[in-house]
Amino acid sequence: MAVEAEKSGPDGKLWSLFKNPFGQSRNASSSSSSSSSSTLSSMHNVHQLGQTHESVERAALHSASTVSYVTKSLLPARRRLRLDPANKLFFPYEPGKQVKSAIGIKNTSKSHVAFKFQTTAPKSCYMRPPGGILAPAESLIATVFKFVEPPESNEKLVDQKSRVKFKIMSLKVKGDMDYVPELFDEQKDQVVVEQVLRVVFLDPERPTLAMEKLKRQLAEAEAALEARKKPPEETGPRIVGEGLVIDEWKERRERYLAQQQVEGVDSV
């Protein structure tokens, strides 16, 4: 159905204009379609932005965890033992002889800790004890034995100093238990390298503070070793063996019989 509208033209005549009543609906429909398209496009863009944001967050979290892992791996592990000396082993320099050094080891943690020695020269060096388990706050003095090779014609003392090294490792264990070296193989990921000790030679004829301290530590280590060798003292009541009891009973019976004989003679 057409709707007639009148409009004056430039020549004063009336012009009949027919307006399509569905034109407005088509325009409205076109406007609605374009509005829906723009809405869908906006929603798609928002979805894409959300996915991008999530991806950025995941990447940031992954990067943060990676940085945290790398940082943790670069940080030094917390020490469980205190060593004295801290990073050296002093030996008297006596070429062609077996010499001794000493190092104090103390458990500074709140749990039982196993320790173990390693050396770059196992054929010419050994430790006593080579390992063990320390209770919290427990300490000991370990003795290290080393054979000093005679120097070559062009070899200096400083070259001998940097040749042999020792390493002390620690491992947290559950309570008091017997020490076995296999503990460190079974729990490699829990092992901590406490310290790498380098060898320093001392002139035995020259009195120094380091030499005096070494002699004192060696004397303490020997005294502790001798104390461990002695059997434990008996603090309880003395238990008489079966043989002693029988012998004592025989003596008493013999004395009684002898007394009876004497009394019988007197009566006669």
Side-chain angles (χ1 to χ4, degrees), residues 82-99:
R82 186 171 68 214
L83 308 177
D84 183 26
N87 56 4
K88 299 175 183 177
L89 280 176
F90 294 101
F91 289 89
Y93 185 66
E94 299 179 16
K97 295 182 180 180
Q98 186 184 69
V99 294

Side-chain angles (χ1 to χ4, degrees), residues 89-93 99-101 144 146 166 199-202:
L89 280 176
F90 294 101
F91 289 89
Y93 185 66
V99 294
K100 294 187 292 185
S101 181
V144 185
K146 172 178 169 51
F166 295 83
V199 173
V200 177
F201 287 108
L202 301 174

Side-chain angles (χ1 to χ4, degrees), residues 4-259:
E4 185 177 348
E6 294 183 352
K7 182 179 181 182
S8 298
D11 53 356
K13 294 181 180 181
L14 294 176
W15 295 85
S16 295
L17 300 176
F18 295 93
K19 184 178 181 183
N20 186 359
F22 299 103
Q24 187 175 0
S25 298
R26 289 196 186 100
N27 293 335
S29 191
S30 300
S31 174
S32 176
S33 298
S34 63
S35 176
S36 299
S37 299
S38 62
T39 302
L40 290 173
S41 177
S42 299
M43 292 176 64
H44 180 68
N45 292 336
V46 169
H47 181 66
Q48 285 185 336
L49 288 174
Q51 287 184 337
T52 304
H53 184 66
E54 290 178 359
S55 300
V56 171
E57 284 186 345
R58 285 196 296 268
L61 290 174
H62 177 71
S63 177
S65 62
T66 303
V67 171
S68 176
Y69 174 78
V70 173
T71 304
K72 188 180 294 186
S73 63
L74 292 176
L75 289 175
R78 185 177 179 181
R79 300 276 176 85
R80 304 182 180 115
L81 304 175
R82 186 171 68 214
L83 308 177
D84 183 26
N87 56 4
K88 299 175 183 177
L89 280 176
F90 294 101
F91 289 89
Y93 185 66
E94 299 179 16
K97 295 182 180 180
Q98 186 184 69
V99 294
K100 294 187 292 185
S101 181
I103 182 169
I105 305 174
K106 183 175 182 179
N107 180 5
T108 57
S109 70
K110 297 180 180 180
S111 61
H112 285 71
V113 172
F115 70 91
K116 180 182 178 182
F117 274 100
Q118 280 189 344
T119 178
T120 57
K123 293 183 178 181
S124 61
C125 304
Y126 71 95
M127 290 67 66
R128 187 178 67 194
I133 295 179
L134 296 175
E138 185 180 2
S139 62
L140 60 79
I141 297 179
T143 307
V144 185
F145 298 82
K146 172 178 169 51
F147 180 78
V148 182
E149 296 287 345
E152 298 180 1
S153 57
N154 58 349
E155 190 176 20
K156 299 179 181 179
L157 180 60
V158 69
D159 298 328
Q160 286 255 349
K161 183 191 306 183
S162 60
R163 183 170 290 182
V164 180
K165 292 183 180 180
F166 295 83
K167 181 168 64 176
I168 296 183
M169 302 179 295
S170 70
L171 174 66
K172 182 179 177 181
V173 295
K174 295 181 180 180
D176 191 11
M177 58 188 300
D178 293 333
Y179 170 78
V180 289
E182 289 76 18
L183 287 171
F184 287 82
D185 298 328
E186 296 170 356
Q187 306 179 45
K188 289 182 179 180
D189 56 336
Q190 302 296 326
V191 175
V192 173
V193 177
E194 291 287 337
Q195 187 65 53
V196 176
L197 307 168
R198 64 186 183 90
V199 173
V200 177
F201 287 108
L202 301 174
D203 186 355
E205 302 299 330
R206 181 183 177 186
T208 59
L209 293 178
M211 195 66 193
E212 293 298 323
K213 182 177 180 179
L214 173 59
K215 291 179 179 179
R216 185 171 62 253
Q217 284 184 316
L218 289 173
E220 292 179 7
E222 290 296 329
L225 180 62
E226 292 298 325
R228 288 195 297 269
K229 288 181 179 179
K230 292 182 179 179
E233 296 182 358
E234 296 179 358
T235 56
R238 182 174 178 269
I239 300 176
V240 180
E242 183 179 357
L244 297 178
V245 173
I246 294 176
D247 293 340
E248 186 177 358
W249 179 80
K250 287 182 178 180
E251 290 177 1
R252 288 182 179 181
R253 181 173 177 77
E254 289 175 356
R255 286 198 300 269
Y256 173 76
L257 293 174
Q259 185 176 2

